[in-house]
Amino acid sequence: GAVAGQLGTIIVFVSVAVLLWRPNAPSPLLNYDAGVDDAAETTAGVVDRPDLADNKAWRFGSFVLKSMDAGARTATMVVVAVAAAGVIPGVISVTGLGPNLTAFIQAIAGGSLVALLVITAISCIILGMGMPTTVTYIILVSLLGQAFVDVSGGTIPILAAHLFILYFGVIADITPPVAVAAYAASGVAKSDPFETGVKAFSLSLNKAIVPFAFVLSPGILLLRGTGTGEEAHVITFADVADLGWFVPEVLVPIVCVFVGVFALGPTIIGYLYSDVSGLERALFAVSSLFLMAPGLIFNPVLTLLELVGVTVGAGLVLDLALRAVGLVIFAALLAKNRS
């Protein structure tokens, strides 16, 4: 145990010993970064020893110093973004916005589940900017978790609600303008931070739809028991044997989510087997939404119908119908693009 604890130190000493023993040995890893040669030549010129530029130990030392310099420059940009975003939790704690935010979200949602999800998603992205994942999760759940329970009447499984909040809290790390993860990546890739954030967000759009699927179709999480206020539970063999429930509530949604994520690719990239036109990209987007979270489409419609006194109790039928439409659209586009 003691040796394992000192393993890092031992590796460093062995590496330094090898460098000093064979200073001119081949070092292919150092050749991947052209900046290493420039740094070695510059530092060797400073000490008036140009021959050191070819010394392996000297090049490695130059590489370490150059890496430290690049890391400090990258960290500075990230620290500034985090410091700016840190104003948000400070304002929440000082102004007492937390309890008021929950009441505000409930008032705006007006009992609509989809409205609640959309408002909560936006709130999670804003409040999660620049914060570590664990802190983001704890703060957002404490602020917004109760709103889910109150508006849904307890029909949303706790796990689904927590994953919804966590997903959108993490998405904040790649959402401009405070895209901390994208800023760090841009420092490594030497790219524009904002453009990197925009590209990262667009490539991660599936993360913005999957959380809705968790809440609207809890079977994806292998949960059963929603819809009547009863506590959700992880499915058992008895639930799997109940094919009348398992197939439409678990198997179909899981398969459709995978297909929907695939359909979202051509929507964002604009290419599948060949170039995808603007109209086809729009249709791919529609098919992806229908496949992954059809409840986002028909739930608002059902809510409006209930407001005018019309009750429609065929939610599962509409869910399966929209998924079928999405699958047909996707299959047609796939066949056309591949031909």
Side-chain angles (χ1 to χ4, degrees):
V3 175
Q6 299 296 325
L7 185 59
T9 304
I10 294 173
I11 292 175
V12 171
F13 277 114
V14 171
S15 301
V16 172
V18 172
L19 287 172
L20 296 176
W21 177 44
R22 302 183 60 192
N24 296 316
S27 52
L29 292 179
L30 298 180
N31 296 329
Y32 286 124
D33 189 353
V36 174
D37 294 331
D38 296 336
E41 292 174 0
T42 301
T43 53
V46 170
V47 298
D48 199 22
R49 289 285 304 278
D51 57 301
L52 290 176
D54 296 326
N55 184 283
K56 179 182 176 182
W58 186 269
R59 294 182 69 216
F60 183 78
S62 302
F63 168 75
V64 171
L65 294 176
K66 180 178 179 297
S67 299
M68 293 172 64
D69 174 73
R73 294 176 185 273
T74 302
T76 300
M77 182 168 51
V78 176
V79 167
V80 170
V82 172
V87 174
I88 295 176
V91 170
I92 293 174
S93 61
V94 172
T95 61
L97 178 61
N100 296 327
L101 179 62
T102 301
F104 178 70
I105 290 176
Q106 292 176 351
I108 294 181
S112 171
L113 177 59
V114 173
L116 170 67
L117 295 177
V118 173
I119 297 170
T120 303
I122 296 174
S123 302
C124 289
I125 291 176
I126 295 175
L127 297 176
M129 291 190 300
M131 292 192 295
T133 302
T134 304
V135 177
T136 298
Y137 170 72
I138 294 174
I139 292 179
L140 293 178
V141 166
S142 62
L143 290 177
L144 306 174
Q146 189 60 38
F148 269 87
V149 177
D150 294 341
V151 174
S152 68
T155 59
I156 297 178
I158 295 177
L159 177 60
H162 282 225
L163 284 177
F164 183 90
I165 292 173
L166 175 64
Y167 262 63
F168 278 102
V170 173
I171 287 177
D173 288 339
I174 55 172
T175 303
V178 188
V180 178
Y183 276 30
S186 68
V188 177
K190 304 296 187 295
S191 60
D192 180 81
F194 188 80
E195 291 183 0
T196 303
V198 172
K199 182 62 68 174
F201 181 78
S202 62
L203 292 176
S204 301
L205 276 180
N206 61 303
K207 289 185 178 179
I209 302 179
V210 170
F212 288 97
F214 288 161
V215 174
L216 298 173
S217 301
I220 295 174
L221 300 175
L222 304 183
L223 298 176
R224 183 177 188 179
T226 59
T228 60
E230 61 181 296
E231 184 178 354
H233 64 271
V234 178
I235 63 173
T236 62
F237 286 110
D239 297 316
V240 175
D242 184 4
L243 297 181
W245 174 85
F246 180 77
V247 172
E249 296 282 1
V250 178
L251 186 60
V252 171
I254 289 177
V255 173
C256 287
V257 164
F258 277 102
V259 178
V261 170
F262 183 86
L264 200 59
T267 303
I268 299 170
I269 301 174
Y271 186 89
L272 188 54
Y273 297 102
S274 60
D275 291 332
V276 178
S277 66
L279 177 60
E280 291 174 341
R281 293 176 73 169
L283 291 175
F284 267 119
V286 171
S287 68
S288 177
L289 184 60
F290 281 8
L291 286 166
M292 297 174 68
L296 287 176
I297 306 298
F298 69 78
N299 269 345
V301 176
L302 295 181
T303 301
L304 291 176
L305 291 176
E306 289 178 358
L307 291 177
V308 297
V310 179
T311 302
V312 180
L316 180 59
V317 175
L318 291 175
D319 182 277
L320 295 176
L322 287 179
R323 292 186 194 274
V325 172
L327 186 60
V328 170
I329 296 175
F330 172 74
L333 291 172
L334 187 65
K336 179 181 181 301
N337 189 261
R338 194 167 186 175
S339 60

